[in-house]
Amino acid sequence: MAQSTTSPTAASPTRNATFKDKNRQEAMTGLGFIAPAFIILFGFLIIPMFVAGLFSLTNWDGITPIARGLITEENPNGAFDFVGLQNYNTILLQEGRRQESFYTALKNTIYYALGVVPVQTAFALVLAFVVNQKWLKGKGFFRTAFYFPSITSSVVISLIFMWMFSASGLVNTAISFLNPSYDPVTWLDNPSGTLHLLMNGIGINPTRDMLRVCDPATLQLWGCEVASIRLWDWLSGPSVTMATIMILNIWTTIGTMMVIYLAALQSIPSQVYEAATVDGASRVQLFRYITVPLLQPTTFFVVTIGLIGALQVFDQVYVMTSGGPANTTLTVAYLVYRSAFSDSRMGLAAATAIVLFVIIFVFTMIQRRVTRESSGDRA
Amino acid sequence: MRRSRFAVFSMAALTALALSTGVLAQDTVTITLMGHGSSTAEDDALNASVLAFEEANPGIDVDVQLVPDFDTVLQTAFASGDYPEVFYTGQSLFRQYVDAGVIANGSGYIESPEGFYPALAAVYSIDGELYCPPKDFSNLALEYNTDYFDAAGLEYPNADWTWDDLRAAAEALAASGTLPEGTVPFGLNPDIDRWFAFYVQAGGTFYDEEGNFVFGEDANHDAAVSALDFTAMLTQDGLAASSSDLSAGWPGEAFGQGKAAMTMEGNWIISYLNDTFPDVNWGTTELPAGPGGEGTLTFSEAYCVGADNEHPEESWALVNFLTNEAGAERVAAEGFGPMPSREASGASWIEAVGPVGEAFVAGGAYAVAPVTPAGFGEFRDALGNGVGAAFRGEEDSVDVIDEAVEVSQELKAE
Amino acid sequence: MSAVTLEQPVGQTSSASKFIRRAPGILGLLFLAIVAVVEIVPFVFTVVNSAKCLPAINAAPWAFIPSSGFIDCRNEEGRPLPASAMTSGATFQPSLEGYQMVIARDLPRWFMNSVIFAAAVTICRILIDSLAGYSLARLKFPGNRLIFFIILGTLMIPGVVLIVPRFILLKQLGILNTYQGLIIPLAADAFGIFLMKQFFESIPRELEEAAEVDGASRLTTFFRIILPISTPALTALTIFSIQGMWNNFMDALIIVGTNPSLWTLTLGLSSLQGAGGETLIWNLFLAGAVITTIPMAIVFFAFQRYFVEGVSYSGLAGQ
């Protein structure tokens, strides 16, 4: 909004460009500037996305050469048949195994994102603020150290994490040292939900029989199934193993997010800080009332990117758990991979991917409202 | 003057050379062999074999492509319609590839198919016709730590063992007090590609006469339940533990680290233990027999020829060169992890790897490939999770098997 | 406590209160040091274990003090030495076996390919992403917001389902197994465009308006005024781009996977993962990880110097 009001007044009337010409010229420049990027993304991502969208309407297995075409009477060896929205129906609505897998994956993915995004954003902001301080000695060292997990290949990181979190690994050894009565946790093979553990702790502990009952009249709801998953299981929280993967992911992405904040911090003029300091503001106040508000657009960016990344989590699951134990680390992106390349159901995989796309889009929109992007072009 | 004549002469010679190579190039056929990288020694041996083939067949050039993440690359190539003439195919993917119409039928092309292990040939056959000649394979066998057995004063496991003997020995090892702190008698993961061995030993089968997948159904139900009861009890009684409970990446590692006195792994454990744990003393024998007799699992690969293929003759020539009796002998003589796919070469392989190889070869006579139908990922997950829950004592064996069967039937109905 | 306090003359305060004022700073530094250790320990163990013989890695992964010069992992007969012979307590005898095995492969070629690939893509992205980001942030044109959401949308679909369509597309274009096949499709990315857009939105508009009054064209303004003050954002873009390309696996696999002469480090090293047959040869694998990580650490260390507070607007105060 600032843009539309300030630019014409700032433009000198002595230049003979009229208002309209200027707008047209700006539009041409704008399109010209974005054209190279758009052509590349359009050609190599957007077209393939449309093709994937078409796959989602077929029963293609992803192996039969696609050029063999539609299965018809004359072409019985074709590659695929159009099945309409059946794939979407299978994962979303139709009760059964596939629906259960999808919603389990969705549940796990959402718990994952809700846990990872706020923590990594907060940590990254604080770290960036600290390593940006003038007084800090060895800034380069600290920055590089914090960034290290981001540059190490995710396969190596995952393998090393598996080793640190194994039953007698570094983590358990360290905890045992601090607390000798500690009973070692098998971090990487533990399907118990963290929320379940918490609820057990405060006395909510439904028995096996209670989980088989669904009777709204007597308020026995734990066994009620919503989308093939029991209410009690919806409330599991991330499993211990998933929580371990969450820690790993927070640990590796903090560095990346810190760099983004670090870049943004450079655009806060130091005069702003100096003025505030003269007024007697403390460091914490500076951070709270100047840094955080001024970094709003960056926070929007970091949270958006973090959310999109978290909802697509794949690498660590692929390397560390393949979805286990008891499907508690099965994520939607991993389910897509499994359907496409292990189950040879490319149609179903594509439909799952499109649904994930829609979910991420909706989440991003909600998040956009929540973070309140404070930039000029907001409608 | 002389110089220019020389120039003309050499020009003519060069032109002739260019023409002749052009003609030669037309006669030369290039075929692609795609696979995954194996151990360095194995890759070198493959390249040497291919070189020998090219020398014997001057008209054929072979482009060997050993790629990382091979299954993904191959499947993408299939989907695009432009895929290699010859490629590796794992046993679990074979049916899917045949259904997709990308594998050529090898019957009539494959040299002396009767020489392959019958169980192995069956994996790559449809209606009795062998599509792809098996490349090599591995079987599960029982590995035991001789030091632990010596210390407990027990006899080593042998090929006549039954489940009862396994359990008795495990109890004796545990009771002897000679195992180090934290060491269990048996390293066993709730992994269906191990657990299926017990299912087979209990008399279970995977397919019926018509080729329907019948895990845990009808007569197989009792076999599945008794296999799960037996293994779950071993775990719950503290006689067996999984590699993650033992802080190891896989049971072979736990065994090498001395955290398990016995385990069941395939041929790959031989070079692993030799290279990584040279000071561990160990032996092998066949897996114990269950109520349904002897049983082990086999894991194999084959060379398949692509269906959309402009050079089938040359492709089959290459595949036969690699898998005929002489090819099998070459594999055997190198003594790598997997065994040659022909029975006749078993003895040469044992000679190359030593006596620990005997149990693996012996299993070839009765081994079964644990192949689930295409698109049965959900079944494998359900059963794998159930087996894990049963091992931890969280679920009843009967419930686990019933649920797995339910999933299997649901998937078959699709 | 505050940094500003630390910088101010503290002449009139007593040494006791000086200490009290500094204590939180020291604690803060300690906290930073602990976080740094937590972040860097896994890499230290990667380096340490990459320099062990295979049996020693399994027997004593924690041993971190080298106790001798480099040794040979095998005896005269070619049999591997047992772990007991080369580790004791926290000490181990180092070996270069892992590195020798990596270098015996085609390492220099993979390395060069990775460098070419990362450099070309990064240069393209710096130009294309920042132009696009500027356009979305500052220029009004019909469909501006729509285009932004479309671009953002390309981040939201799991890449796994795009493998097959992209492969077929590149095959049709005839650029499979070529350098350009690996560079052109990646020459722009939504993440970078979004990053630059957010950055451009945060810089004061007065800068461009001043230039506009002087009659400069948008292109001139962009190159003369905007880019020079965008060092921090361009630095971040450069770091992310190099890092992304350096570790890129899936695109490289699909586009040049079948042509070993175009393999990048990640492809080459992942081909080594299978070198032990069914099992991982840890020292070889970790040596590969070290060789991949070190250049990135150097790149990062070199570039992070451009994150210097206050530099970008030193000229602005006077305007």
Side-chain angles (χ1 to χ4, degrees):
Chain A
M1 47 166 197
Q3 189 174 348
S4 50
T5 51
T6 52
S7 38
T9 47
S12 158
T14 55
R15 314 257 169 234
N16 21 359
T18 66
F19 204 66
K20 234 180 170 177
D21 275 348
K22 245 191 85 49
N23 273 352
R24 184 179 303 149
Q25 201 190 340
E26 183 170 319
M28 293 308 291
T29 318
L31 288 170
F33 276 21
I34 204 155
F38 193 74
I39 290 168
I40 289 167
L41 292 177
F42 190 80
F44 296 104
L45 284 172
I46 297 168
I47 291 179
M49 278 168 74
F50 271 105
V51 175
L54 284 179
F55 288 169
S56 77
L57 306 174
T58 71
N59 62 357
W60 187 37
D61 59 9
I63 304 176
T64 314
I66 189 88
R68 290 187 192 165
L70 197 65
I71 299 170
T72 57
E73 302 234 330
E74 300 89 69
N75 184 20
N77 293 325
F80 59 87
D81 211 351
F82 280 105
V83 295
L85 296 174
Q86 194 191 308
N87 290 323
Y88 293 92
N89 189 38
T90 306
I91 51 173
L92 293 175
L93 303 174
Q94 191 183 320
E95 265 189 39
R97 185 61 36 183
R98 302 220 179 262
Q99 188 198 35
E100 189 187 330
S101 289
F102 174 75
Y103 284 106
T104 304
L106 184 61
K107 176 193 82 170
N108 295 336
T109 307
I110 290 175
Y111 278 127
Y112 176 91
L114 292 180
V116 165
V117 177
V119 178
Q120 79 187 15
T121 309
F123 253 99
L125 177 56
V126 173
L127 284 185
F129 182 71
V130 175
V131 296
N132 196 43
Q133 299 299 320
K134 282 203 179 99
W135 52 268
L136 183 67
K137 297 277 191 308
K139 278 199 268 278
F141 166 75
F142 282 117
R143 289 169 175 182
T144 312
F146 296 156
Y147 194 62
F148 236 101
S150 302
I151 50 181
T152 314
S153 98
S154 60
V155 176
V156 174
I157 292 273
S158 304
L159 290 172
I160 289 173
F161 238 71
M162 286 167 81
W163 186 42
M164 286 177 31
F165 276 86
S166 68
S168 65
L170 184 62
V171 173
N172 277 349
T173 313
I175 301 177
S176 303
F177 182 73
L178 297 173
N179 173 16
S181 64
Y182 166 76
D183 181 25
V185 173
T186 49
W187 299 98
L188 293 168
D189 191 17
N190 191 335
S192 336
T194 46
L195 275 184
H196 278 173
L197 294 175
L198 214 65
M199 287 195 276
N200 292 348
I202 58 168
I204 306 174
N205 200 355
T207 59
R208 206 177 276 198
D209 290 333
M210 285 164 76
L211 293 178
R212 291 200 173 125
V213 190
C214 173
D215 187 3
T218 57
L219 282 177
Q220 287 180 304
L221 299 172
W222 289 130
C224 295
E225 289 196 353
V226 181
S228 298
I229 297 176
R230 284 191 304 232
L231 187 63
W232 171 248
D233 290 331
W234 273 110
L235 298 176
S236 64
S239 69
V240 173
T241 304
M242 186 59 129
T244 311
I245 294 184
M246 287 162 72
I247 294 172
L248 162 65
N249 205 60
I250 290 170
W251 183 76
T252 50
T253 31
I254 283 178
T256 309
M257 301 307 185
M258 176 195 77
V259 167
I260 298 171
Y261 273 124
L262 208 47
L265 280 171
Q266 315 313 319
S267 60
I268 299 177
S270 44
Q271 292 93 321
V272 177
Y273 285 121
E274 278 152 25
T277 318
V278 169
D279 294 344
S282 73
R283 265 288 148 186
V284 175
Q285 284 173 322
L286 288 183
F287 179 73
R288 172 70 188 80
Y289 295 107
I290 296 183
T291 311
V292 173
L294 283 178
L295 287 179
Q296 196 70 11
T298 311
T299 302
F300 169 72
F301 175 74
V302 167
V303 174
T304 307
I305 291 293
L307 193 64
I308 293 175
L311 291 171
Q312 291 205 44
V313 56
F314 173 77
D315 283 10
Q316 287 91 358
V317 177
Y318 179 73
V319 177
M320 293 173 71
T321 63
S322 303
N327 282 343
T328 58
T329 62
L330 179 68
T331 64
V332 181
Y334 187 75
L335 185 65
V336 171
Y337 169 81
R338 203 176 70 177
S339 308
F341 287 96
S342 312
D343 282 359
S344 57
R345 283 174 200 271
M346 188 60 88
L348 206 64
T352 314
I354 300 285
V355 171
L356 179 61
F357 171 81
V358 172
I359 290 168
I360 295 178
F361 198 82
V362 169
F363 263 82
T364 310
M365 288 300 123
I366 295 171
Q367 177 262 324
R368 207 173 143 82
R369 284 281 146 82
V370 175
T371 5
R372 299 245 163 183
E373 190 190 10
S374 59
S375 68
D377 71 352
R378 194 154 172 267
Chain B
M1 194 60 201
R2 177 174 271 187
R3 188 183 278 170
S4 77
R5 190 181 291 166
F6 176 74
V8 169
F9 175 75
S10 51
M11 281 285 276
L14 274 175
T15 316
L17 191 67
L19 278 174
S20 64
T21 48
V23 171
L24 269 179
Q26 266 181 2
D27 285 347
T28 308
V29 166
T30 302
I31 54 176
T32 302
L33 164 62
M34 196 194 274
H36 52 76
S38 304
S39 70
T40 314
E42 254 174 285
D43 290 350
D44 291 347
L46 175 69
N47 282 321
S49 293
V50 167
L51 207 64
F53 172 77
E54 285 175 330
E55 271 165 23
N57 300 272
I60 308 177
D61 261 349
V62 182
D63 179 14
V64 180
Q65 299 178 345
L66 301 177
V67 298
D69 217 342
F70 165 66
D71 288 342
T72 309
V73 174
L74 183 65
Q75 189 178 324
T76 308
F78 283 148
S80 79
D82 182 10
Y83 54 93
E85 282 82 10
V86 181
F87 44 86
Y88 296 1
T89 299
Q91 59 186 21
S92 58
L93 293 165
F94 169 73
R95 292 258 164 188
Q96 266 160 274
Y97 291 174
V98 170
D99 289 347
V102 289
I103 289 183
N105 187 339
S107 66
Y109 292 97
I110 297 171
E111 258 176 54
S112 48
E114 64 288 344
F116 295 113
Y117 285 92
L120 216 48
V123 174
Y124 299 99
S125 298
I126 289 173
D127 299 331
E129 301 195 337
L130 181 61
Y131 275 60
C132 309
K135 175 176 166 276
D136 49 30
F137 74 118
S138 299
N139 288 327
L140 297 183
L142 185 73
E143 293 83 29
Y144 54 92
N145 185 313
T146 52
D147 291 343
Y148 289 163
F149 275 83
D150 290 341
L154 296 170
E155 279 189 25
Y156 297 154
N158 59 56
D160 299 328
W161 264 27
T162 62
W163 284 7
D164 293 338
D165 296 316
L166 175 67
R167 179 152 181 124
E171 283 171 350
L173 279 167
S176 72
T178 53
L179 290 182
E181 177 77 27
T183 293
V184 294
F186 196 59
L188 175 68
N189 273 11
D191 169 359
I192 59 171
D193 278 331
R194 300 290 171 277
W195 179 80
F196 273 148
F198 293 95
Y199 171 68
V200 174
Q201 290 154 9
T205 55
F206 294 106
Y207 293 92
D208 66 6
E209 306 276 295
E210 283 93 53
N212 300 310
F213 187 68
V214 290
F215 169 84
E217 290 174 25
D218 305 323
N220 288 323
H221 190 265
D222 287 347
V225 171
S226 67
L228 190 50
D229 277 339
F230 176 70
T231 47
M233 286 315 287
L234 278 181
T235 307
Q236 283 168 42
D237 294 343
L239 300 174
S242 71
S243 56
S244 76
D245 285 334
L246 298 170
S247 289
W250 59 296
E253 187 182 348
F255 179 78
Q257 291 169 340
K259 292 170 182 165
M262 294 179 278
T263 193
M264 47 191 283
E265 287 293 334
N267 306 30
W268 49 84
I269 203 170
I270 302 175
S271 61
Y272 175 72
L273 290 176
N274 287 343
D275 290 344
T276 311
F277 300 101
D279 45 358
V280 171
N281 299 310
W282 56 289
T284 61
T285 187
E286 292 169 60
L287 292 181
E294 291 182 301
T296 186
L297 303 180
T298 193
F299 303 91
S300 65
E301 270 184 320
Y303 288 108
C304 291
V305 170
D308 301 286
N309 188 338
E310 285 172 22
H311 310 294
E313 299 291 330
E314 291 83 355
S315 304
W316 284 115
L318 172 66
V319 168
N320 280 324
F321 185 84
L322 294 169
T323 59
N324 61 16
E325 282 95 349
E329 275 301 313
R330 276 197 303 272
V331 172
E334 298 279 0
F336 301 130
M339 297 171 282
S341 51
R342 289 181 180 270
E343 276 181 298
S345 301
S348 324
W349 185 78
I350 294 173
E351 204 176 300
V353 298
V356 289
E358 283 168 17
F360 298 102
V361 171
Y366 52 84
V368 176
V371 178
T372 45
F376 262 48
E378 314 254 343
F379 164 78
R380 299 180 63 91
D381 278 351
L383 181 58
N385 291 334
V387 169
F391 276 24
R392 289 190 298 269
E394 289 163 9
E395 273 190 64
D396 198 51
S397 298
V398 177
D399 291 347
V400 168
I401 301 304
D402 286 347
E403 203 199 321
V405 170
E406 200 180 300
V407 175
S408 154
Q409 281 168 346
E410 202 178 303
L411 290 171
K412 279 192 281 184
E414 261 185 24
Chain C
M1 95 100 208
S2 83
V4 179
T5 335
L6 285 175
E7 284 158 3
Q8 277 167 356
V10 284
Q12 63 266 55
T13 51
S14 75
S15 60
S17 73
K18 196 164 112 188
F19 177 75
I20 289 165
R21 276 177 171 216
R22 285 198 174 184
I26 292 162
L27 283 180
L29 213 57
L30 196 68
F31 168 75
L32 272 192
I34 290 170
V35 176
V37 166
V38 168
E39 300 277 347
I40 217 163
V41 148
F43 183 72
V44 171
F45 277 100
T46 308
V47 174
V48 168
N49 282 300
S50 71
K52 288 181 189 170
C53 297
L54 205 45
I57 298 178
N58 268 283
W62 305 116
F64 64 97
I65 306 167
S67 62
S68 69
F70 292 111
I71 58 160
D72 219 347
C73 289
R74 289 171 185 266
N75 60 19
E76 294 84 33
E77 297 150 33
R79 297 266 304 155
L81 297 172
S84 49
M86 46 200 171
T87 60
S88 89
T91 65
F92 70 97
Q93 291 185 289
S95 153
L96 289 173
E97 192 188 53
Y99 291 89
Q100 284 159 351
M101 283 193 281
V102 177
I103 290 166
R105 297 301 191 94
D106 227 351
L107 191 81
R109 183 193 287 268
W110 300 336
F111 197 92
M112 273 317 294
N113 283 337
S114 278
V115 170
I116 293 171
F117 174 45
V121 167
T122 303
I123 291 167
C124 291
R125 282 188 182 175
I126 287 175
L127 194 69
I128 297 176
D129 287 355
S130 57
L131 273 174
Y134 183 70
S135 170
L136 290 170
R138 278 292 201 265
L139 301 173
K140 285 178 77 73
F141 57 91
N144 179 316
R145 280 171 63 84
L146 179 69
I147 288 180
F148 171 64
F149 280 113
I150 291 176
I151 288 176
L152 195 57
T154 62
L155 286 174
M156 298 181 186
I157 195 145
V160 171
V161 292
L162 303 182
I163 291 177
V164 171
R166 293 181 84 188
F167 181 82
I168 295 173
L169 189 77
L170 292 168
K171 195 174 73 118
Q172 296 298 328
L173 292 174
I175 52 176
L176 273 185
N177 287 320
T178 62
Y179 280 111
Q180 60 270 35
L182 201 41
I183 293 166
I184 297 170
L186 299 165
D189 72 317
F191 174 87
I193 296 171
F194 191 10
L195 177 81
M196 295 313 290
K197 169 183 180 285
Q198 295 303 103
F199 176 80
F200 291 134
E201 276 171 1
S202 72
I203 60 177
R205 209 170 279 276
E206 291 77 21
L207 277 175
E208 294 139 278
E209 279 156 8
E212 216 172 328
V213 172
D214 296 343
S217 77
R218 282 287 185 180
L219 205 61
T220 319
T221 315
F222 179 74
F223 281 108
R224 291 270 166 79
I225 314 264
I226 304 296
L227 274 193
I229 61 160
S230 308
T231 326
L234 291 176
T235 305
L237 181 64
T238 308
I239 290 171
F240 292 142
S241 174
I242 294 177
Q243 181 205 328
M245 291 307 105
W246 196 256
N247 290 330
N248 183 309
F249 178 74
M250 226 1 139
D251 293 300
L253 176 72
I254 295 303
I255 299 170
V256 297
T258 57
N259 184 350
S261 65
L262 292 179
W263 277 3
T264 59
L265 264 179
T266 42
L267 285 185
L269 293 178
S270 83
S271 79
L272 294 185
Q273 270 183 55
E278 304 275 339
T279 54
L280 190 63
I281 299 184
W282 275 93
N283 50 4
L284 168 67
F285 177 69
L286 294 177
V290 171
I291 291 173
T292 344
T293 308
I294 296 284
M296 265 317 299
I298 293 170
V299 165
F300 182 81
F301 189 79
F303 275 99
Q304 61 81 28
R305 287 181 300 130
Y306 295 105
F307 296 131
V308 182
E309 195 177 354
V311 162
S312 46
Y313 294 105
S314 50
L316 182 62
Q319 287 192 344

